[in-house]
Amino acid sequence: MTEPSLHPLCEPLAGLVGTWVGEGSGSYPTIEPFRYREEVRFWHVGKPFLAYAQRTWDPDTGAPLHAEAGYWRPVAPGRVELVIAHPTGVTELAEGTVAAGRIDVETTAVGLSGTAKEVRAVARTVDVDGDDLRYTLRMAAVGVPLTHHLAAELHRTA
């Protein structure tokens, strides 16, 4: 079976396609700072979206830390939407811009299961430069306003 062509609407996101691995660090006013290893994968099936899967683990013990999955949807020139689910009972719907290797999005809606921690907003900035991907993530949760939570640098492995 041959791989389908990238949908033309996905062209602004084409630099994301592949598997990325690297390291990051996290902090938040309610927790101790931490480090993590991460793998992110973006792929397409020829439709107007990229599929997305992410996982992190403790760099010292290898224990899993977090995962999320979803879709990155280009919806108009320079505009993108994210649909992301977390195994902690949180879902994100986010919208924003994509231009010149930079993606900036912020949630327009957050869904919470009955047992999820309170998350009010998430904002992500992703910069892609060839085989290097850097991102920051800000979060408003558990009574804390939108503030820095994560930063990582990943490198394309495939």
Side-chain angles (χ1 to χ4, degrees):
M1 182 166 111
T2 61
E3 183 170 323
S5 297
L6 184 69
H7 192 282
L9 283 177
C10 288
E11 195 56 43
L13 300 176
L16 292 172
V17 174
T19 301
W20 304 82
V21 176
E23 296 188 2
S25 61
S27 62
Y28 205 66
T30 60
I31 61 173
E32 291 295 319
F34 60 95
R35 296 177 314 110
Y36 59 93
R37 294 274 304 153
E38 180 170 19
E39 179 183 77
V40 174
R41 183 172 173 242
F42 291 93
W43 69 98
H44 72 91
V45 295
K47 299 289 186 180
F49 60 83
L50 296 183
Y52 162 76
Q54 178 265 17
R55 67 184 186 97
T56 62
W57 61 94
D58 184 294
D60 298 321
T61 67
L65 296 175
H66 180 72
E68 55 190 49
Y71 301 96
W72 294 50
R73 306 173 57 232
V75 293
R79 300 292 300 168
V80 64
E81 294 176 348
L82 277 60
V83 179
I84 298 176
H86 302 250
T88 56
V90 175
T91 59
E92 294 177 54
L93 299 178
E95 297 180 15
T97 59
V98 55
R102 176 171 227 155
I103 301 161
D104 282 296
V105 296
E106 190 164 338
T107 51
T108 56
V110 176
L112 301 174
S113 70
T115 59
K117 287 185 180 177
E118 179 246 341
V119 175
R120 290 191 330 259
V122 177
R124 299 168 185 252
T125 298
V126 178
D127 288 298
V128 178
D129 182 11
D131 290 335
D132 297 319
L133 182 153
R134 291 173 189 82
Y135 74 82
T136 59
L137 185 143
R138 294 154 318 278
M139 182 173 67
V142 295
V144 176
L146 195 64
T147 191
H148 173 78
H149 180 43
L150 303 171
E153 182 172 332
L154 311 177
H155 306 284
R156 191 187 320 262
T157 61

